[in-house]
Amino acid sequence: MVVFAGIVLLINAVYNIVVWPRFWTRVAHDPRARDDQGRATRFLKVHAILIGIALLIAVVSAIAGVMLLLQP
């Protein structure tokens, strides 16, 4: 069961690291991301925070997955 959990955590990490940066490029180029003066809107800021949290969770998942797989 420990090996399974480690593998699931690593799959989760890889998925998030692949998906969220691609989503960020779409958000950043969305017309709602900037106002008329070129400043970041709430739309861009909220998505930046959500994507940052998702990537942080991905890193933690990767670390936890590796630790589970390397334990004796």
Side-chain angles (χ1 to χ4, degrees), residues 11 14 17 24 30 33 39 53 55 64-65:
I11 290 170
V14 169
I17 289 170
W24 172 252
D30 191 294
R39 293 182 301 230
I53 291 169
L55 290 173

Side-chain angles (χ1 to χ4, degrees), residues 29-52:
H29 291 100
D30 191 294
R32 298 171 288 179
R34 303 269 174 200
D35 63 12
D36 295 333
Q37 289 79 33
R39 293 182 301 230
T41 62
R42 181 170 283 156
F43 173 84
L44 183 64
K45 292 174 186 176
V46 167
H47 280 85
I49 291 168
L50 293 173
I51 292 168

Side-chain angles (χ1 to χ4, degrees), residues 49-72:
I49 291 168
L50 293 173
I51 292 168
I53 291 169
L55 290 173
L56 177 63
I57 291 170
V59 169
V60 172
S61 293
I63 292 169
V66 169
M67 288 175 64
L68 281 174
L69 292 175
L70 292 179
Q71 77 178 7

